[in-house]
C-alpha cells in the first residue's frame, strides 16, 4: 500500500513538474522565494496591529514568533530525523526526469515541505485572527498558501505528498497557535 502511494506521488510529481514551461519559470521562482514576501508579511502585521492595542499586539507578535519557530523546527525534525525522504531532485531513480528550475536542489531530504507548512500556518493563523473584520480573508490566505505549495512542486524540489503533509501540519500549527493567542489575549486583557 505504501509503495503504491509513493509510486502515485512520484507519477503526480513528474506530471506536474514537467508541465511547467520556461514562460512561467520566472513567476514561480519569484513566488517561492521567501525574501520577496517580506512586504506582504509587513502589511499583514500592520493589519493585525490595527485590530489590537499595542500591548496585545506584542503578545500576538510573540505567538507568531513561537508558531514560525515551532513549525520550522518540526519540519526539520521530520525531514532530517524521522522520515528522511529524498527530494525529487536528489532521488537517483528520477535522474534526468526532474525539471529543476532552481540553480541548486537544496537540502537532501524533503518530507515535509517547510514552505508549505509555514505558509499554511500563517494562512490559518492570520485568517482566523482577522475573520471577524475581514470575512473572506482566510480564503485568500489559503489560496496563497496552496500556490506556495504548488510552487515547490513546479520548481522540482518537493513531491506532492511533501506539500500536502506540510500544509496539514501547518494548518494544525496555525490553529493551535491561534488558540494560544486567544488564551493569552483573554488572560492579559480583552482587545
Amino acid at each position: 500500500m505504501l509503495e503504491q502511494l509513493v509510486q502515485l506521488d512520484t507519477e503526480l510529481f513528474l506530471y506536474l513538474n514537467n508541465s511547467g514551461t520556461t514562460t512561467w519559470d520566472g513567476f514561480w521562482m519569484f513566488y517561492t522565494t521567501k525574501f520577496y514576501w517580506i512586504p506582504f508579511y509587513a502589511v499583514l502585521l500592520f493589519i493585525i496591529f490595527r485590530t489590537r492595542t499595542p500591548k496585545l499586539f506584542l503578545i500576538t507578535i510573540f505567538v507568531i514568533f513561537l508558531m514560525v519557530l515551532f513549525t520550522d523546527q518540526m519540519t526539520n525534525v521530520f525531514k532530517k530525523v524521522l522520515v528522511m525522504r529524498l527530494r525529487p531532485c536528489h532521488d537517483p531513480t528520477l535522474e534526468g526526469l526532474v525539471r529543476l528550475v532552481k540553480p541548486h536542489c537544496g537540502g537532501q531530504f524533503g518530507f515535509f515541505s517547510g514552505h508549505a507548512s509555514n505558509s499554511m500556518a500563517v494562512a490559518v493563523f492570520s485568517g482566523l485572527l482577522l475573520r471577524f473584520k475581514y470575512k473572506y480573508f482566510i480564503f485568500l490566505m489559503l489560496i496563497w498558501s496552496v500556490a506556495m505549495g504548488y510552487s515547490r512542486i513546479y520548481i522540482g524540489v518537493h513531491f506532492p505528498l511533501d506539500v500536502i503533509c506540510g500544509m496539514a501540519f501547518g494548518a494544525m500549527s496555525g490553529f493551535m497557535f491561534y488558540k494560544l493567542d486567544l488564551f493569552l489575549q483573554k488572560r492579559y486583557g480583552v482587545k
Side-chain angles (χ1 to χ4, degrees), residues 10-50:
T10 302
E11 289 172 11
L12 181 59
F13 165 78
L14 289 172
Y15 173 77
L16 293 172
N17 176 252
N18 287 294
S19 295
T21 66
T22 54
T23 305
W24 287 97
D25 288 356
F27 171 79
W28 287 110
M29 273 305 299
F30 176 88
Y31 199 92
T32 202
T33 304
K34 292 177 185 178
F35 174 77
Y36 298 127
W37 289 101
I38 291 173
F40 173 76
Y41 294 130
V43 169
L44 194 53
L45 285 175
F46 179 73
I47 292 169
I48 293 169
F49 173 76
R50 301 262 312 178

Side-chain angles (χ1 to χ4, degrees), residues 6-188:
V6 169
Q7 182 60 36
L8 285 172
D9 189 37
T10 302
E11 289 172 11
L12 181 59
F13 165 78
L14 289 172
Y15 173 77
L16 293 172
N17 176 252
N18 287 294
S19 295
T21 66
T22 54
T23 305
W24 287 97
D25 288 356
F27 171 79
W28 287 110
M29 273 305 299
F30 176 88
Y31 199 92
T32 202
T33 304
K34 292 177 185 178
F35 174 77
Y36 298 127
W37 289 101
I38 291 173
F40 173 76
Y41 294 130
V43 169
L44 194 53
L45 285 175
F46 179 73
I47 292 169
I48 293 169
F49 173 76
R50 301 262 312 178
T51 66
R52 297 187 156 20
T53 65
K55 177 184 173 185
L56 296 183
F57 177 69
L58 289 176
I59 292 170
T60 299
I61 290 292
F62 177 69
V63 171
I64 290 170
F65 170 78
L66 289 177
M67 177 184 71
V68 171
L69 181 68
F70 171 78
T71 307
D72 201 51
Q73 292 311 304
M74 287 307 295
T75 298
N76 287 330
V77 168
F78 272 85
K79 277 184 188 179
K80 299 173 184 174
V81 179
L82 298 177
V83 178
M84 298 187 300
R85 182 183 188 193
L86 292 173
R87 288 179 185 266
C89 46
H90 284 306
D91 188 335
T93 64
L94 298 179
E95 193 170 330
L97 301 175
V98 176
R99 187 175 174 277
L100 184 62
V101 178
K102 288 177 70 169
H104 55 84
C105 184
Q108 186 177 11
F109 303 118
F111 185 88
F112 48 82
S113 166
H115 276 72
S117 62
N118 282 316
S119 65
M120 187 58 76
V122 168
V124 169
F125 180 84
S126 62
L128 291 173
L129 200 67
L130 297 170
R131 75 178 187 261
F132 298 109
K133 190 158 178 76
Y134 305 103
K135 188 176 176 182
Y136 299 107
F137 183 71
I138 192 166
F139 298 110
L140 294 173
M141 292 301 292
L142 292 174
I143 291 167
W144 166 77
S145 178
V146 168
M148 185 64 71
Y150 172 75
S151 75
R152 307 306 288 167
I153 299 166
Y154 183 96
I155 66 170
V157 297
H158 282 292
F159 289 103
L161 277 178
D162 300 347
V163 169
I164 292 166
C165 292
M167 287 190 297
F169 184 83
M172 180 195 70
S173 177
F175 181 76
M176 182 175 72
F177 282 93
Y178 166 72
K179 289 295 193 179
L180 175 61
D181 187 66
L182 280 181
F183 170 76
L184 293 174
Q185 296 289 334
K186 286 178 185 171
R187 181 176 176 113
Y188 295 105

